[in-house]
Amino acid sequence: MKIDQEGLQIQSRLADEKHNILVVEIGGYVDQGNCHLLQQTINSCMDDNCVNLIFDFSKLIYMSSAGWGVLIGEIKGFRENGGDIKLANMGPEIYEIYQMLEFYHIISEYPSVEEELNSFLNIEKPLIPEQKSATRPDGEKKKSGLADDP
């Protein structure tokens, strides 16, 4: 699936066919005016029984509360179907909002798509050699997404 309209670019690719894991790359801006395109993408994934989604935010510039609402609002349905939604490659501004709103209690994030893919596959040793660091853009250590994180 590929979308390039209203300041938003969305492209998806199958990362692991056996486990039905889809990487959804998001670029540009997600706001009230175009968040329906993000919702449409998520609905299409669910319709295709692809319940493990990795959202790659490496090209995302801005995400409004409407965009965050779409993602957070869909997690329950994916988890009820044995899947999950996870986030990767957040830039400093996106990560700051994620932290401020304490979404790490709800949705997991990873510094790279590769690390996120390994988490879906429950692999302790990475499939791909590790990147330089597992720290966030602001220098903090990554949060696991568990409620008991400090």
Side-chain angles (χ1 to χ4, degrees):
M1 170 182 286
K2 188 173 183 174
I3 295 173
D4 188 356
Q5 36 182 317
E6 300 179 40
L8 178 63
Q9 299 84 45
I10 303 175
Q11 186 166 344
S12 57
R13 63 178 168 84
L14 195 58
D16 185 280
E17 188 172 357
K18 180 180 177 186
H19 297 94
N20 217 12
I21 302 171
L22 193 70
V23 174
V24 180
E25 298 172 355
I26 300 181
Y29 299 83
V30 179
D31 58 23
Q32 183 67 37
N34 64 15
C35 67
H36 67 279
L37 298 169
L38 179 59
Q39 183 69 59
Q40 176 185 350
T41 300
I42 292 172
N43 291 346
S44 177
C45 293
M46 187 65 90
D47 290 346
D48 292 342
N49 293 318
C50 191
V51 294
N52 292 310
L53 301 183
I54 296 172
F55 281 91
D56 181 353
F57 284 177
S58 60
K59 297 177 183 171
L60 184 64
I61 298 167
Y62 172 78
M63 171 102 78
S64 74
S65 58
W68 284 111
V70 168
L71 288 177
I72 299 301
E74 293 298 328
I75 290 174
K76 183 178 179 183
F78 279 79
R79 291 179 179 163
E80 287 175 348
N81 285 291
D84 205 353
I85 295 174
K86 299 183 182 190
L87 311 176
N89 293 324
M90 281 191 253
E93 295 84 11
I94 304 294
Y95 184 74
E96 183 179 345
I97 299 299
Y98 170 84
Q99 285 290 105
M100 183 178 67
L101 297 174
E102 297 186 357
F103 285 148
Y104 53 84
H105 291 292
I106 302 166
I107 188 167
S108 298
E109 62 86 25
Y110 294 83
S112 71
V113 170
E114 292 79 15
E115 288 178 68
E116 196 157 354
L117 181 57
N118 290 337
S119 79
F120 265 123
L121 300 173
N122 294 316
I123 296 173
E124 290 184 26
K125 286 174 39 179
L127 291 173
I128 299 171
E130 283 190 35
Q131 304 297 321
K132 290 181 187 175
S133 170
T135 57
R136 295 299 323 136
D138 58 7
E140 287 185 24
K141 291 287 186 194
K142 174 190 107 45
K143 299 279 187 187
S144 69
L146 302 177
D148 60 350
D149 270 348

